[in-house]
Amino acid sequence: MAMNKYLSVSDLKEKDPLKNLSGLDEKKYFTLPSEEALNKAVEAMKAKGFKVHVVDTGAEATELVKGLIPSGASIMNPMSATIAQIGLLEVIKNNTEWKNLHAEILAETDPAKQQELRRKAFGADYWISGVNAITESGDLIIVDGTGTRTGGWTGAKNVIAVSSAQKLVKDVAEANERIDKFCVPLESARYNLLFGWPGARVGTYINFSGSRAFLG
């Protein structure tokens, strides 16, 4: 039986065999920021050259992303619970107007060819990704164990970052704390359930503190 890759936190806690999430402070990491903090972060990101859209629901976010990507564009979506939970992942899977590079990777059975496709996907027209944290000063923090979720942030022609407001933190120190005490334990539980691995780790770390105008 296939396991759902994107189980909710409560489901992961219930099924977590290694008790990675036993001490998780859900209230701390699921509390919405104040309107003041959110507005401060939005203005800071805009000042750094990011185009920022704020919506109220996951359905609105999904429709917004659909409208940003033109027909015929190549897209790559690294694994993201946020993208799955708002319904965007199903839209990506079922859309026939875009060139879905992730689908091509999964369809390839030769490991060497699959790895080459992964490298090429870093240069997709649109890289659609979640983030691990956003600071009030407008920095976007993204981490991954192997680099498959971070490579496109510097290589793709365009990056669309999708995030819930709960990921907003005061500064980089709080972002790192969120990663250490929430993101890594959560991924450790997910990977143990999916693959039997003992845990996740931070292998690559990106702090995006400005737009990528040089890429066009």
Side-chain angles (χ1 to χ4, degrees), residues 156-208:
K157 292 181 181 178
N158 302 277
V159 174
I160 298 176
V162 182
S163 176
S164 60
Q166 290 96 326
K167 295 183 181 181
L168 181 61
V169 296
K170 182 178 180 181
D171 50 30
V172 172
E174 279 196 11
N176 293 339
E177 179 185 338
R178 184 180 191 278
I179 290 165
D180 292 339
K181 296 186 178 180
F182 178 74
C183 299
V184 170
L186 197 66
E187 287 301 278
S188 292
R190 195 186 310 278
Y191 285 1
N192 184 257
L193 285 168
L194 286 171
F195 312 115
W197 298 351
R201 67 180 181 89
V202 174
T204 57
Y205 181 112
I206 291 181
N207 180 339
F208 246 96

Side-chain angles (χ1 to χ4, degrees), residues 53-98:
H53 306 270
V54 179
V55 296
D56 293 325
T57 68
E60 289 180 80
T62 295
E63 288 301 311
L64 176 63
V65 173
K66 283 171 60 179
L68 293 174
I69 305 173
S71 178
S74 63
I75 62 168
M76 177 62 186
N77 60 294
M79 183 176 172
S80 164
T82 299
I83 288 174
Q85 289 164 0
I86 67 173
L88 179 55
L89 181 59
E90 285 303 309
V91 170
I92 291 171
K93 286 180 177 180
N94 296 320
N95 188 292
T96 58
E97 296 182 358
W98 305 326

